[in-house]
Amino acid sequence: DAQESRGLGDVYKRQIFSLVIVISFCLSCDGRDRIHKSSETVLKENKLLDSFSEQTVYIPDGYAEKVTDTIFANGYHIYTKQYTTNSKDISVITKQNSIQTKTIYKDFKVDLKVSFKGKLLHSKILASNTKIIYEPFFDNEDHNYMLRNIWTDSSDRHHPDSPTVFVELYNPKTLDSKNLKLSVLKDKILTTSI
């Protein structure tokens, strides 16, 4: 009996030894064919390069809001709230080395409220596709400009007793900007491209 059990032990040892050799052989062979290839080549062969070579950037990267509440000495009060909107965005694709970047510019809207001595004169929502904004520059609302900035001034050169609101439109594809002057009169708003 002792002789048989010793013989079975030798069999088990040989099987374990054989298994260790097979496993080490398999592990040592893995990756030998890729050792002299660049990471980019390996990713291309496995059709994974696209997932690592594209990135998307949002500008702004989340909701953005800017509020100004200005009371002028001439009795005018202008409130503006500029905020991002998901109704329009402009995409610009650039490529540097092997990385393609898609930059998505989100458009803005502006809530504009103008009062004079406590009486509300104008309440408008301005956007790049609002007629009062695009009409001085474009034939229709389909253009690649977005509303980028808005600011106010206490008087207008042509209407000295009335404040002015300035609007900047920006085209991220051409890096061009256009400025618009809104002369705020008591009964209407006049637009002028500048």
Side-chain angles (χ1 to χ4, degrees), residues 2-194:
Q3 194 70 333
E4 274 183 45
S5 65
R6 200 168 113 202
L8 286 175
D10 287 341
V11 171
Y12 290 134
K13 285 180 189 174
R14 274 187 252 125
Q15 286 179 346
I16 290 173
F17 180 71
S18 299
L19 183 62
V20 168
I21 288 184
V22 169
I23 290 173
S24 63
F25 178 74
C26 290
L27 291 176
S28 67
C29 290
D30 186 34
R32 282 186 182 225
D33 61 329
R34 292 183 279 167
I35 198 163
H36 298 291
K37 294 180 182 178
S38 70
S39 300
E40 187 175 336
T41 305
V42 173
L43 289 172
K44 278 182 185 176
E45 286 175 355
N46 293 301
K47 297 180 178 143
L48 294 171
L49 184 63
D50 291 343
S51 62
F52 290 102
S53 63
E54 285 185 16
Q55 65 182 38
T56 303
V57 177
Y58 292 89
I59 297 179
D61 61 356
Y63 178 76
E65 179 179 291
K66 178 177 84 170
V67 175
T68 60
D69 196 5
T70 310
I71 300 173
F72 295 108
N74 59 7
Y76 279 93
H77 176 200
I78 297 181
Y79 170 87
T80 62
K81 176 182 171 185
Q82 181 179 355
Y83 53 94
T84 53
T85 177
N86 291 328
S87 62
K88 178 182 176 184
D89 56 86
I90 300 169
S91 299
V92 177
I93 297 174
T94 56
K95 191 165 187 164
Q96 184 176 12
N97 299 329
S98 62
I99 298 176
Q100 179 175 307
T101 303
K102 181 178 183 180
T103 306
I104 299 173
Y105 293 84
K106 295 180 186 176
D107 202 2
F108 286 87
K109 284 188 177 181
V110 174
D111 293 341
L112 172 68
K113 293 183 177 144
V114 180
S115 303
F116 181 70
K117 295 186 178 178
K119 180 183 174 194
L120 183 65
L121 301 176
H122 306 284
S123 180
K124 295 192 176 296
I125 296 177
L126 305 176
S128 61
N129 61 354
T130 307
K131 190 173 182 177
I132 193 172
I133 300 297
Y134 76 76
E135 192 173 51
F137 303 111
F138 314 108
D139 295 332
N140 59 44
E141 63 188 60
D142 187 29
H143 54 81
N144 285 320
Y145 283 81
M146 54 180 269
L147 198 149
R148 181 160 80 174
N149 199 8
I150 187 164
W151 65 99
T152 60
D153 195 358
S154 61
S155 65
D156 184 338
R157 183 173 47 161
H158 301 291
H159 309 281
D161 295 332
S162 299
T164 306
V165 175
F166 294 94
V167 176
E168 179 189 13
L169 297 174
Y170 175 69
N171 184 332
K173 292 185 177 191
T174 63
L175 306 179
D176 182 41
S177 64
K178 298 182 180 297
N179 292 314
L180 182 67
K181 179 176 84 169
L182 305 175
S183 301
V184 182
L185 306 179
K186 290 180 183 164
D187 59 341
K188 60 185 168 186
I189 296 177
L190 302 174
T191 59
T192 310
S193 61
I194 52 175

